Amino acid sequence: MASPNDRVLAALPGISGILVTPFDAEDRVAPAKLRPVIDRAVAAGVHILTANGNTGEFYGLTTAEAETMVHAVTEMVDGRVPVVAGVGRSIGDAVALTRASRAAGASALMVHQPPDPFVSPRGGVAYVQRVAEAGDGLPLVLYLRNDGIGLDAIEKLCAIPGVAGVKWAAPSPLKLAEAIRRADPSTVWVGGLAEVWAPPFTAVGARGFTSGLINVWPEHSVAIHAALAAGDYARANALIGIMGAFEELRAEEGNGTNVTVVKAALALMGNDCGHVRPPGAWPLTDRQATLLQQRLGEWGLLRADAA
């Protein structure tokens, strides 16, 4: 029988779905609203679900709220796919959330890259080492958004015991290729910039990708992954072209509408997961809302179409 760690390693080259964090009208986390999203993603074939990622507004949550979400997500997933728990912020918060995620039954940890303005490459290594110690054997996936720390530091990060994979979220496929070359061959490299960047990252050796689209249209993400896994880049790019306008909307306002578009889409589909907390944008502008409704209508995802 495969161990839990083996299960995570087998799933990492798939789709890592980054779940939204639902809020109620009083701005409290409302995990139960996420159940239809989780069930739909699992049924579509999404390989991993992540709580407390950026699409989950990680930096807008308190540590206590993040703990609530990882416990709730793990319970709702109920072992159907691995659950990866995002941890980060101050080292104290990261360690506390690591321990809470272990207690919740998370399958692995996704370590957010520290956003501290004075982070040093060697300090980043020490940070991940502390998280690994607190994880006590849980596999770690590094979430690398800034490759400016340099390839030497990235190589040292990947060599930390327990690091199983890297979500590469920097738009630099050639640097990714060199990082892959330097790392242990067992390290799993995942495209961390969603579907749009998946083809070039796959071409240089990454496997799988992160996705916020899975909250809304998981079947489409799975089709893109299947095309890339088969080496059919033409089909993958054609499928990405269909959902390209959705991602363009998410990238507006300095990426400030990234989660806004996903939550607005869910509301239009009849699965309202609430608002987006500042400093994210909320609500969509009239222009953005009209474009989003048009796209969802074309895809047959509006509540009226489903009815």
Side-chain angles (χ1 to χ4, degrees), residues 183-280:
D184 187 296
S186 66
T187 305
V188 181
W189 296 80
V190 179
L193 289 175
E195 290 83 356
V196 174
W197 276 88
F201 286 165
T202 301
V204 299
R207 293 293 175 264
F209 52 83
T210 60
S211 175
L213 181 67
I214 63 95
N215 292 277
V216 175
W217 199 11
E219 298 82 3
H220 199 73
S221 294
V222 170
I224 292 168
H225 182 271
L228 287 172
D232 191 345
Y233 283 80
R235 175 163 172 74
N237 284 321
L239 291 168
I240 290 167
I242 292 170
M243 48 82 69
F246 183 85
E247 293 299 318
E248 288 170 8
L249 274 177
R250 295 180 70 196
E252 290 189 2
E253 302 184 51
N255 282 324
T257 54
N258 190 292
V259 184
T260 317
V261 170
V262 176
K263 283 192 166 179
L266 286 168
L268 288 167
M269 295 168 63
N271 188 187
D272 190 354
C273 285
H275 55 279
V276 170
R277 285 178 172 170

Side-chain angles (χ1 to χ4, degrees), residues 2-267:
S3 71
N5 286 8
D6 289 339
R7 190 173 179 226
V8 171
L9 291 173
L12 270 178
I15 300 171
S16 294
I18 317 299
L19 296 165
V20 297
T21 297
F23 302 120
D24 65 17
E26 282 72 47
D27 197 33
R28 299 170 301 200
V29 293
K33 293 176 179 284
L34 204 52
R35 188 176 293 278
V37 175
I38 289 173
D39 290 345
R40 191 163 59 237
V42 171
V46 174
H47 307 82
I48 286 175
L49 290 174
T50 300
N52 299 325
N54 280 346
T55 306
E57 299 177 70
F58 178 68
Y59 290 99
L61 303 177
T62 66
T63 300
E65 288 174 330
E67 290 180 7
T68 295
M69 287 307 302
V70 69
H71 276 274
V73 167
T74 303
E75 182 179 345
M76 287 186 282
V77 171
D78 194 25
R80 290 176 289 174
V81 296
V83 171
V84 174
V87 302
R89 294 195 287 261
S90 74
I91 187 60
D93 286 334
V95 167
L97 192 47
T98 293
R99 290 173 177 154
S101 299
R102 283 190 73 250
S107 307
L109 303 168
M110 181 183 74
V111 187
H112 287 269
Q113 192 169 9
D116 191 308
F118 302 119
V119 64
S120 67
R122 61 193 172 101
V125 171
Y127 181 96
V128 174
Q129 287 173 331
R130 289 275 298 276
V131 171
E133 290 166 6
D136 194 25
L138 275 184
L140 269 59
V141 179
L142 306 178
Y143 186 22
L144 189 70
R145 295 185 59 82
N146 176 12
D147 60 7
I149 61 173
L151 288 168
D152 288 345
I154 293 169
E155 185 175 355
K156 289 176 182 175
L157 284 168
C158 292
I160 294 171
V163 171
V166 180
K167 291 185 178 179
W168 185 277
S172 47
L174 295 182
K175 191 173 282 189
L176 167 60
E178 177 60 14
I180 292 173
R181 187 191 69 78
R182 289 184 178 210
D184 187 296
S186 66
T187 305
V188 181
W189 296 80
V190 179
L193 289 175
E195 290 83 356
V196 174
W197 276 88
F201 286 165
T202 301
V204 299
R207 293 293 175 264
F209 52 83
T210 60
S211 175
L213 181 67
I214 63 95
N215 292 277
V216 175
W217 199 11
E219 298 82 3
H220 199 73
S221 294
V222 170
I224 292 168
H225 182 271
L228 287 172
D232 191 345
Y233 283 80
R235 175 163 172 74
N237 284 321
L239 291 168
I240 290 167
I242 292 170
M243 48 82 69
F246 183 85
E247 293 299 318
E248 288 170 8
L249 274 177
R250 295 180 70 196
E252 290 189 2
E253 302 184 51
N255 282 324
T257 54
N258 190 292
V259 184
T260 317
V261 170
V262 176
K263 283 192 166 179
L266 286 168

